Structures are given as structure tokens and as C-alpha cells.
Amino acid sequence: MTSFVLLLAAHPSEWHKVGEEVRAVTRNFKEPVTLELLNRLPFLNRCILETLRLCPPAALHVREALSSLTLPSGQIIPRGCQIILAPPLLHCDQATWPDPLAFKPQRFESPPTQGS
């Protein structure tokens, strides 16, 4: 939550868009917050997704391969091998995220495609 507020504070135009959207959808904060209401806040949701991309809550994920698998590169990961994923590195990959360090909620305007 702190990262979300800090990123919006550093990007006033997005801060104002979120505020306008929330005021419009909640009828100036008169409507109770429900899941259905939250689904009517697409820009807020995009800002949350972009915050999680830039500031993931976990720096590392450690998993164990339950079976052997072959990666597209041909490399084999044997059963029982520990796999370490680092979301901060994945989320800053320029091949996937152009201008990866920029706060750009519009990245999430379209649903993700398979393989992205």
C-alpha cells in the first residue's frame, strides 16, 4: 500500500485520474465499497498492477521441481531441483516491459496474451 501511495504521489496526473474515477464510480463516496464496485475502477486496478510490477511484495520465490522438465532452450531441470525466481528482475526485463522502470499503468489496458 505504501508503494502504491508513493508512486501515485510521484505521478500527480495518475493520482488525479484515480481520484476522478473513484469519485465518479462511488457517486462522490456515497456508494459502499463492494467487489462489483471495484471491478468498475479499471484505472485504479491498472495502477495497482503497475505498482505490484515495480514493487513486488516478495523478492524471491523458491520452488522445487516436482518432475523433470525441459525448457524451450533445451536445458533440463531435474526433478527435485530448487528453482529460484526473482520477480524484481523479471519485472524489469526490457524485452517484456519497454521502459521498465517507468510507472505506466496503461501497460495493463489490454488483457495479457499467452506467453506474456
Side-chain angles (χ1 to χ4, degrees):
M1 186 68 160
T2 302
S3 297
F4 175 74
V5 172
L6 287 172
L7 284 167
L8 283 181
H11 299 87
S13 63
E14 281 79 6
W15 178 275
H16 291 293
K17 286 181 193 175
V18 167
E20 288 171 6
E21 182 180 67
V22 169
R23 277 189 291 284
V25 170
T26 64
R27 295 187 337 245
N28 215 23
F29 305 103
K30 293 179 180 157
E31 192 172 327
V33 177
T34 62
L35 183 57
E36 191 274 326
L37 180 137
L38 292 174
N39 287 330
R40 295 187 342 235
L41 298 167
F43 189 72
L44 173 65
N45 286 320
R46 287 194 294 269
C47 287
I48 291 169
L49 290 172
E50 182 67 345
T51 298
L52 290 171
R53 184 190 70 79
L54 286 169
C55 308
L60 292 174
H61 298 286
V62 180
R63 300 291 184 261
E64 183 176 314
L66 298 177
S67 62
S68 294
L69 64 122
T70 304
L71 299 177
S73 66
Q75 184 175 5
I76 296 172
I77 297 178
R79 180 179 185 272
C81 180
Q82 286 200 337
I83 302 164
I84 301 173
L85 302 170
L89 295 177
L90 296 172
H91 295 175
C92 289
D93 178 15
Q94 287 188 339
T96 306
W97 307 101
D99 198 9
L101 300 179
F103 181 72
K104 294 182 175 182
Q106 65 270 23
R107 295 178 204 271
F108 295 97
E109 286 178 352
S110 302
T113 57
Q114 187 173 9
S116 65

